[in-house]
Amino acid sequence: MNFDRSNELRLKAKRLIPGGAHTYSKGDDQFPLLSPHSIVRGKGARIWDVDGNEFIDWGMGLTSVILGHAYEPVVEAIKSELDNGCNFIRPSYIEAEVAELISNTIPSAQMVKFSKNGSNATTSAVKVSRAYTGRNMVLRCYDQPFFSIDDWFMGNTVVDAGIPEADKQHTDHFRYNDLNNLETKIAEHHNKIACVIIEPAATHEPAPGFLEGVKALCERNGIVLIFDEVVSGFRFHPKGAQSLYGVTPHLSTLGKAIANGYSVSALVGQKEIMELGGIDHDKERVFLLSTTYGGETHHLRAAQKTIEILLANDYEVTKHIWQVGKTIKEAYNRIAKQYALDKLTYIDGIDCRPYLVFLDIDGKPDNILRTLFMQEMIQYGVLLQGFNPSFSHGASEIAQTIEGFEKALKTLHYAIETNQVGSLLIGPPVKPVFRKYN
Ligand SMILES: Cc1ncc(COP(=O)(O)O)c(C=O)c1O
């Protein structure tokens, strides 16, 4: 495979853009050296790079492209709005129309405020919780990798440069599926906690009673419960993971798959809390999500069409993506076992969002093995980090991916047997996104 043009653009991007990409997880340190840097177009579950190479895409815009690239009905919905302009002196009628659709869809969404990024939504959720409770502390779930680019979250990670010490003191964390741990943290920060923020499910499903227990603990202690559904919102179930698991939080944040990759996010929640951001009360005002582009019309049309499709035909999209994930996971784990690699690599996670695990013989994450696997899959036309199944991942994409697993895992087996893992990998191994130094 030839990456000549990609390699030129890789250097240009690095020269002009810190990190060479606008999302850290798309950066060069997240992919093997023998990989495409720059993509030209996508259709369905396939993409083409600047050198003309074709790949199956398992990243799908960081989970956002749930229906498929350039999905015709969504593209048509956007086109139908383009000639009308996109941003006016007063709101477009579409804003209330799509807010109503979301309010009728997501259980916690009594009121809705749109923005463009998930981080806008999560940070506003934290802010309005602080205003509502008159407290400062945030408790965030530790086992979930990301909630926001903003200081209240990043200050509680290893990548906390540039964040004032005082801000770091206002966030602490607790473990997923561990109610005792949450209870201990709540007691430790006695009456100071404004909100608990958690993805209802990310890497693992909630243990029976866990989410119910989190909500009960929050309500007993006057804490606002925020479900970050930026990823889970329209992926686990069209009505949110909160509907799937039957627990309604006080506030929720939505984004990613809401508009099939176009930039729409939302903070939604209980009227009593959300209304603090309104103009019809006599309490102190909360400046809640006021953005130039929050009501941009054609992306709201994309959200409307995407949500309509997700809700249609007995949730066929949702059923499809769960099934695709299950098929991929079972195939990989079967082949890994066949090559006696199952202690070193397997696919774990929930079927609609499976992820790859690579371990060394001591059970520690092995990024050299991971990168060699990614390098091999690229040779078979499959570009992946984990798996974000979409409605467009069909039989041919699944068959080609499983064929790639067969060949790549055979190479891994050979590399391990002959002690050549390091020498077969061209270039450096991938690195964690959340690290203090390069
Ligand atoms: C769970 C979760 N919350 C919030 C965000 C932030 O979303 P955005 O990148 O749209 O700001 C992300 C992004 O990956 C996420 O995974």
Side-chain angles (χ1 to χ4, degrees):
M1 230 174 236
N2 172 4
F3 298 121
D4 289 351
R5 184 92 183 94
S6 248
N7 289 336
E8 284 168 27
L9 288 167
R10 191 190 307 275
L11 296 179
K12 185 193 262 191
K14 258 200 174 136
R15 199 171 68 243
L16 295 168
I17 303 165
H22 287 93
T23 320
Y24 279 114
S25 46
K26 292 186 183 180
D28 277 346
D29 56 352
Q30 302 303 305
F31 288 89
L33 186 61
L34 294 184
S35 67
H37 175 273
S38 304
I39 306 302
V40 174
R41 70 183 182 95
K43 185 73 190 162
R46 291 175 186 266
I47 51 174
W48 287 265
D49 72 8
V50 279
D51 292 288
N53 303 307
E54 177 182 329
F55 298 97
I56 295 168
D57 180 0
W58 283 103
M60 303 305 283
L62 309 158
T63 78
S64 66
V65 185
I66 194 163
L67 299 172
H69 296 297
Y71 195 75
E72 209 69 46
V74 177
V75 172
E76 285 308 317
I78 289 179
K79 278 188 188 161
S80 75
E81 212 46 66
L82 281 175
D83 287 342
N84 296 330
C86 64
N87 211 333
F88 317 109
I89 186 168
R90 298 219 63 204
S92 153
Y93 74 104
I94 300 170
E95 295 177 36
E97 205 174 289
V98 183
E100 185 176 44
L101 173 63
I102 289 174
S103 183
N104 289 337
T105 303
I106 303 290
S108 61
Q110 289 175 2
M111 293 186 91
V112 178
K113 197 123 205 222
F114 291 118
S115 190
K116 284 295 174 197
N117 293 290
S119 288
N120 296 154
T122 51
T123 297
S124 308
V126 166
K127 182 181 181 179
V128 75
S129 302
R130 284 172 163 163
Y132 180 74
T133 57
R135 304 168 175 178
N136 274 341
M137 278 297 299
V138 178
L139 277 187
R140 63 104 174 171
C141 185
Y142 186 70
D143 313 270
Q144 299 171 338
F146 192 56
F147 291 100
S148 175
I149 59 168
D150 295 312
D151 292 359
W152 67 267
F153 172 70
M154 291 307 300
N156 195 241
T157 72
V158 294
V159 204
D160 60 355
I163 299 173
E165 276 308 313
D167 289 355
K168 295 181 197 169
Q169 308 307 320
H170 290 135
T171 302
D172 197 356
H173 46 250
F174 64 97
R175 309 300 305 223
Y176 190 71
N177 271 341
D178 187 345
L179 273 182
N180 286 338
N181 182 236
L182 179 60
E183 199 162 10
T184 307
K185 292 285 182 163
I186 290 175
E188 226 170 81
H189 299 286
H190 183 64
N191 281 347
K192 292 202 180 72
I193 300 167
C195 58
V196 160
I197 182 162
I198 183 171
E199 290 187 87
T203 51
H204 294 94
E205 301 224 50
F210 174 67
L211 293 176
E212 291 84 347
V214 172
K215 185 174 176 186
L217 273 174
C218 286
E219 294 198 332
R220 207 178 310 139
N221 291 281
I223 297 167
V224 175
L225 174 60
I226 305 163
F227 276 1
D228 181 344
E229 292 231 42
V230 168
V231 173
S232 62
F234 297 91
R235 172 162 295 276
F236 281 61
H237 189 282
K239 299 185 174 188
Q242 57 196 267
S243 169
L244 182 65
Y245 299 120
V247 176
T248 305
H250 308 119
L251 298 174
S252 317
T253 59
L254 307 168
K256 303 256 190 191
I258 194 173
N260 196 40
Y262 293 96
S263 57
V264 175
S265 70
L267 166 65
V268 308
Q270 275 183 358
K271 201 175 171 68
E272 188 183 333
I273 307 173
M274 295 286 286
E275 243 176 4
L276 288 178
I279 50 174
D280 295 321
H281 62 77
D282 49 17
K283 301 190 186 103
E284 189 176 350
R285 294 185 62 223
V286 176
F287 206 77
L288 182 69
L289 266 184
S290 177
T291 60
T292 301
Y293 302 111
E296 185 196 24
T297 51
H298 50 284
H299 287 184
L300 288 180
R301 275 281 184 248
Q304 186 176 38
K305 181 52 78 179
T306 303
I307 296 168
E308 281 169 6
I309 292 169
L310 292 173
L311 290 169
N313 298 329
D314 198 21
Y315 306 151
E316 64 170 339
V317 174
T318 311
K319 288 177 184 163
H320 179 83
I321 63 174
W322 279 78
Q323 184 55 48
V324 169
K326 186 169 188 283
T327 306
I328 287 294
K329 195 164 144 185
E330 285 174 357
Y332 187 90
N333 291 343
R334 176 179 46 78
I335 299 162
K337 199 165 189 161
Q338 193 179 305
Y339 285 107
L341 291 170
D342 49 319
K343 298 262 182 308
L344 301 180
T345 181
Y346 51 90
I347 294 183
D348 202 352
I350 303 171
D351 289 347
C352 66
R353 198 186 172 189
Y355 61 92
L356 277 161
V357 178
F358 290 90
L359 302 171
D360 63 19
I361 44 168
D362 298 322
K364 301 220 173 72
D366 188 335
N367 281 336
I368 301 178
L369 205 56
R370 174 184 291 275
T371 317
L372 179 59
F373 176 75
M374 292 169 77
Q375 174 186 293
E376 292 305 296
M377 290 301 286
I378 288 170
Q379 293 304 308
Y380 306 120
V382 183
L383 196 52
L384 53 74
Q385 291 170 305
F387 297 92
N388 298 316
S390 78
F391 196 42
S392 294
H393 286 90
S396 74
E397 285 79 16
I398 292 171
Q400 188 180 330
T401 301
I402 294 175
E403 214 173 292
F405 290 166
E406 293 273 3
K407 293 174 179 160
L409 290 175
K410 188 174 178 186
T411 303
L412 255 59
H413 173 77
Y414 168 79
I416 290 168
E417 288 292 301
T418 56
N419 212 8
Q420 289 191 76
V421 176
S423 53
L424 288 177
L425 173 63
I426 313 296
V430 298
K431 296 176 181 168
V433 169
F434 292 94
R435 63 185 194 275
K436 201 160 189 71
Y437 298 101
N438 284 319

